[in-house]
Amino acid sequence: AQRNVFLIMDISAFEWFLVSQGRDRYDLPNWKAFIDAVGRHYANQLSIALYSIVGEPSPPRNVTEMKRLVDFYRATTDELHQADGGHHLISTGGFNHMEDETPQTPWWQAIYSLPNNNVAGFKTYSLDDLRLIPKITAFTNKIDKPAIDEEFGMPQNVGDGIYSAIQYNQIQTSRSQFYNDVYRYGEQNRVAG
C-alpha cells in the first residue's frame, strides 16, 4: 500500500484445506465462515485490486453439473461481496479447459455473467487456450466486464529463447515466443491484464 502496488487476494488455498478434511470443495456452507472472515478483515485494505476465489474447476459434463458449479460461484461471489461491503472487485478465479464446453453446458459464460463476478479470469497453458482468447474477450466485452489472463506458462525444457523441438500442449515454440504470443493475442483482443 505504501508503494501504491495492487495485488490479487487469492483465497483458493482454502479449497485444498477442504479437500484435506474430506469436505466438498464446491459447497458454500464449507466456505461461508472463511469468506465472511476474509471479506470483513480485508474490506478496507486499499492495496487489494480484486479477490480471486478458486479457479480451474473441471468442466461440467452435463447440465446438472453445470448448474451446481454456477450455483457455487453465484453463492461464493455473493457472499464475498456482502462480507466485503462491495469495496473490492471479485473474480471467481482463472479458468482453463474452457474449450471443453458444449452448447448444452456454456458454463464459463454463465459464471462470467454472475452479477458479483466483476472480473473474468482465464489461464493460458495450451494452443487451445491461446486460440480461445478472442472468443473469451468477445463474450466479456459483450457483458461489459474486463478479462484478465490470470496465469500462463509452459515448462523450461521447451527452450527459453530457442525452441528445443519439445512440444507442450500442442505449442511448438520457445517460451519467449509463447509469452510474446500471449501478450500479442491479449493486446489484439483487449485483455485488460
Side-chain angles (χ1 to χ4, degrees):
Q2 292 172 350
R3 291 179 173 80
N4 296 313
V5 174
F6 294 90
L7 59 91
I8 295 175
M9 177 59 72
D10 185 328
I11 64 172
S12 64
F14 191 70
E15 171 189 27
W16 300 114
F17 169 74
L18 292 175
V19 169
S20 75
Q21 301 298 305
R23 299 175 77 186
D24 184 349
R25 68 178 109 192
Y26 295 118
D27 189 18
L28 176 66
N30 293 335
W31 284 82
K32 187 178 183 330
F34 177 69
I35 285 176
D36 289 347
V38 166
R40 283 191 307 271
H41 184 77
Y42 293 107
N44 295 314
Q45 295 297 320
L46 301 177
S47 60
I48 295 174
L50 61 110
Y51 293 103
S52 179
I53 297 174
V54 62
E56 300 186 26
S58 296
R61 295 168 295 190
N62 56 53
V63 174
T64 301
E65 286 182 9
M66 183 183 98
K67 182 180 179 332
R68 184 168 189 263
L69 192 61
V70 172
D71 288 347
F72 167 75
Y73 282 116
R74 176 181 289 112
T76 53
T77 55
D78 290 353
E79 188 70 27
L80 186 52
H81 175 78
Q82 182 178 353
D84 177 71
H87 291 109
H88 296 97
L89 298 173
I90 298 170
S91 171
T92 54
F95 295 152
N96 54 6
H97 301 291
M98 295 163 67
E99 72 280 356
D100 293 338
E101 70 171 346
T102 68
Q104 297 76 27
T105 58
W107 62 278
W108 59 267
Q109 292 97 328
I111 294 168
Y112 281 177
S113 298
L114 294 172
N116 289 313
N117 182 31
N118 312 111
V119 178
F122 63 94
K123 299 183 178 187
T124 308
Y125 283 98
S126 70
L127 188 58
D128 287 338
D129 293 340
L130 193 61
R131 289 178 176 161
L132 196 61
I133 291 174
K135 182 176 180 179
I136 294 167
T137 56
F139 183 76
T140 58
N141 289 335
K142 187 171 86 174
I143 62 171
D144 199 27
K145 293 185 180 181
I148 60 169
D149 195 337
E150 189 176 287
E151 187 180 297
F152 59 90
M154 55 192 303
Q156 194 170 6
N157 68 351
V158 300
D160 283 330
I162 299 172
Y163 179 50
S164 68
I166 297 173
Q167 182 176 309
Y168 176 74
N169 291 341
Q170 300 175 321
I171 300 167
Q172 298 180 32
T173 64
S174 67
R175 288 194 330 164
S176 63
Q177 182 58 55
F178 174 68
Y179 292 176
N180 283 329
D181 292 343
V182 169
Y183 279 98
R184 184 172 45 84
Y185 269 68
E187 289 173 356
Q188 288 172 349
N189 292 285
R190 298 181 6 200
V191 172

